[in-house]
Amino acid sequence: MAQKVEIVIDGKTVEMPVLEAAEGLNVIDVRGLIKEGMFTFDPGFLSTASCDSRVTYIDGDNGILLYRGYPIEQLAENSSHLEVCYLLLNGELPTQAQLDAFIGDINERMPLDDHFKHIFDGFTENSHPMSMVCAAIAGLASLFHEQLDISDAGYRKEAALQLIAKIPTISAMAYKKSIGEDFVEPDPSLNYAENFLHMCFGKRGEAPNISPTLSKALDKIFILHADHEQNASTSTVRMAGSTECNPFAAIAAGTAALWGPSHGGANEAVLDMLLEIGDVSKIEEYVEKAKDKDDPFKLMGFGHRVYKNFDPRATVMQSSAHAVLEEQGASNDPLLEVAQNLEKIAREQDYFIDRKLYPNIDFYSGITLKAMGIPIPMFTVLFTLGRMPGWITHWTEMVANPFKIARPRQLYLGEHKRDYTNIENR
Ligand code: CMC
């Protein structure tokens, strides 16, 4: 039965419909409220659904994450990142022929135009790779602006393929620039994760030499990051995209939003934190700092807006971390010991239990990436690479349907109208 919610404004009863979710909480449709002369107030969107979507579902209380209905654990175990990209974009798993064609489409678009590579010349070797990646993604807008037509399904598909294909190349080039080495071109005989590792760690002119354990672990990391419904960066992509801007520019905006330590930048921040703690003997001191309201320090890699039980991505990540650490002979890494003890101590304390603060994906991805030999400033770049299909799928979902420009309102608390005073009278 259709539910309704009533509120009383100055004695007048206003009815608001309740929209039924396929899974999870229903939502009160407040769109008609403006006619009654009021807005809702929800900074940080704690109680607000910003859109409807059919892509990804999270049940934060039960630690469930579904891409197009499929549990993340099953996808991480059985699928490949490109198959997941296809699933997110198209809503269904591909047949073998569809997957082969999709892989061909991606491989074809992986190389960057020679003139475009000069975008990296503007950066120094000390530049943060995320800044190079943001700039290069925004730069792609210039290559695909002439034919810009977001109402054309063909254009939208091409934009999605270009972004998924070019992000490993851009990311690897940002890395090569940061270590002052020549770029390595993509190799169509390699799979997606292998190609990225080859472009990062291979040498120009040398045959690829990739560990299957590492490429499998990396592919899994990409799958785990592929989408996460309306998080800050995806919402940024939708918000920018709602102005009908170039999709490459909208994705660049999302990339910038991802960089922050509260979001995708947390994987880098976790490693910085573990290095700062340095030794198990100092864990208690840092846990106390995290609990102290007067200290801005937070335990990076802990907590999540939606997951209030466990982060299912962290569980998969933890088991994948062990395979990598073993292969790399890093099982005795003192940082791992610090991480494991930190998790144990934090999990036992009321402060974290009461606030439902559990390790999130970034807690273990950082340790795994470090063991793989990925430099710390590249961690958030890998998150960007993984999240690309999610961003472009959400952008596509939005622009392929009727949408409005995102234009939130505010609760104004500033000065009332007042007259300008000349400078000599102030
Ligand atoms: N360490 C210590 N205290 C914390 C932490 C933490 N990591 N996270 C939250 N709290 C406390 C917070 O101070 C607040 O306490 P109180 O109720 O006494 O005021 C309470 O827990 C609720 O926190 P909140 O800040 O209101 O929660 P939020 O939903 O606004 O923020 C978060 C979620 C992920 C930004 C936050 O937990 C955080 O900053 N965590 C560390 C950064 C991190 O690991 N981010 C990666 C998120 S997962 C990757 C992704 O999908 O982006």
Side-chain angles (χ1 to χ4, degrees):
M1 207 180 70
Q3 280 178 289
K4 270 186 276 184
V5 165
E6 289 180 350
I7 56 164
V8 180
I9 304 174
D10 290 338
K12 180 182 169 193
T13 301
V14 178
E15 262 187 13
M16 288 176 293
V18 173
L19 308 179
E20 212 166 304
E23 294 276 357
L25 300 183
N26 294 336
V27 305
I28 304 168
D29 182 349
V30 297
R31 282 174 292 182
L33 205 54
I34 178 69
K35 282 200 235 100
E36 307 301 329
M38 270 199 191
F39 306 131
T40 53
F41 180 62
D42 187 20
F45 298 110
L46 273 96
S47 299
T48 296
S50 60
C51 62
D52 57 71
S53 179
R54 291 163 194 270
V55 183
T56 289
Y57 172 66
I58 303 174
D59 175 343
D61 291 332
N62 294 304
I64 292 170
L65 169 60
L66 312 176
Y67 295 166
R68 299 286 191 185
Y70 295 102
I72 190 64
E73 296 82 358
Q74 290 181 24
L75 292 169
E77 181 64 28
N78 304 306
S79 196
S80 67
H81 182 60
L82 284 187
E83 187 179 53
V84 168
C85 291
Y86 184 100
L87 170 69
L88 287 168
L89 285 169
N90 298 285
E92 296 296 338
L93 288 167
T95 62
Q96 189 61 56
Q98 287 168 330
L99 182 59
D100 292 345
F102 184 70
I103 292 171
D105 284 342
I106 295 296
N107 282 342
E108 206 180 286
R109 290 165 177 79
M110 270 192 158
L112 279 183
D113 295 351
D114 279 338
H115 68 271
F116 189 78
K117 291 175 195 161
H118 292 297
I119 198 161
F120 295 100
D121 293 343
F123 292 88
T124 64
E125 287 174 15
N126 293 329
S127 306
H128 196 288
M130 272 305 278
S131 130
M132 295 191 237
V133 168
C134 283
I137 295 173
L140 287 178
S142 68
L143 303 183
F144 300 98
H145 199 71
E146 292 279 285
Q147 65 273 51
L148 175 67
D149 180 3
I150 62 168
S151 66
D152 174 7
Y155 177 85
R156 295 196 296 262
K157 183 178 171 196
E158 185 57 31
L161 292 173
Q162 289 289 353
L163 280 159
I164 293 169
K166 291 206 162 44
I167 188 62
T169 319
I170 286 175
S171 303
M173 286 181 176
Y175 173 58
K176 286 294 199 191
K177 173 76 196 185
S178 73
I179 56 167
E181 275 187 13
D182 289 342
F183 298 148
V184 173
E185 294 302 317
D187 178 338
S189 71
L190 300 175
N191 71 32
Y192 196 74
E194 286 170 345
N195 232 324
F196 174 69
L197 288 170
H198 171 59
M199 288 190 282
C200 281
F201 301 116
K203 298 272 182 299
R204 187 183 278 179
E206 286 182 14
N209 178 19
I210 314 291
S211 145
T213 311
L214 296 198
S215 68
K216 243 180 128 210
L218 190 61
D219 203 61
K220 208 173 265 196
I221 290 176
F222 293 156
I223 294 173
L224 295 176
H225 287 90
D227 193 37
H228 217 226
E229 49 114 312
Q230 312 310 324
N231 55 84
S233 57
T234 304
S235 297
T236 302
V237 170
R238 281 185 180 261
M239 188 153 201
S242 78
T243 68
E244 303 181 38
C245 69
N246 186 305
F248 296 88
I251 299 288
T255 308
L258 184 79
W259 194 359
S262 297
H263 191 12
N267 53 14
E268 181 175 342
V270 167
L271 249 286
D272 289 341
M273 175 189 76
L274 293 176
L275 287 166
E276 191 183 318
I277 297 176
D279 189 84
V280 280
S281 62
K282 287 176 76 189
I283 291 176
E284 282 288 359
E285 180 194 325
Y286 279 85
V287 168
E288 287 313 309
K289 270 165 76 68
K291 286 157 48 177
D292 181 356
K293 284 279 146 243
D294 298 325
D295 191 322
F297 176 77
K298 285 194 285 189
L299 277 194
M300 300 313 288
F302 273 74
H304 198 274
R305 170 64 61 79
V306 187
Y307 293 121
K308 298 298 174 197
N309 184 332
F310 63 94
D311 179 342
R313 305 169 301 171
T315 313
V316 178
M317 195 65 249
Q318 203 175 355
S319 60
S320 177
H322 288 302
V324 171
L325 292 166
E326 225 158 85
E327 152 122 358
Q328 298 295 91
S331 310
N332 296 326
D333 187 335
L335 278 195
L336 182 65
E337 201 192 350
V338 172
Q340 284 170 334
N341 280 278
L342 180 64
E343 179 185 349
K344 187 170 171 289
I345 292 170
R347 275 178 182 266
E348 285 163 358
Q349 302 210 358
D350 288 346
Y351 175 93
F352 298 92
I353 296 168
D354 294 347
R355 290 168 181 75
K356 300 186 174 161
L357 299 170
Y358 296 91
N360 56 48
I361 186 169
D362 291 312
F363 194 69
Y364 281 103
S365 66
I367 295 164
T368 315
L369 294 173
K370 178 173 175 286
M372 289 171 84
I374 310 267
I376 296 172
M378 280 294 286
F379 288 5
T380 311
V381 171
L382 270 93
F383 198 149
T384 308
L385 213 164
R387 184 55 55 85
M388 191 56 77
W391 287 335
I392 194 66
T393 300
H394 281 275
W395 173 82
T396 304
E397 183 180 60
M398 183 181 72
V399 299
N401 293 291
F403 66 97
K404 290 184 102 55
I405 185 170
R407 193 357 179 141
R409 303 304 290 260
Q410 63 173 2
L411 168 65
Y412 177 69
L413 298 174
E415 298 293 341
H416 295 294
K417 180 174 179 285
R418 51 183 172 164
D419 289 325
Y420 180 82
T421 358
N422 287 330
I423 198 158
E424 60 274 13
N425 299 332
R426 286 176 219 160

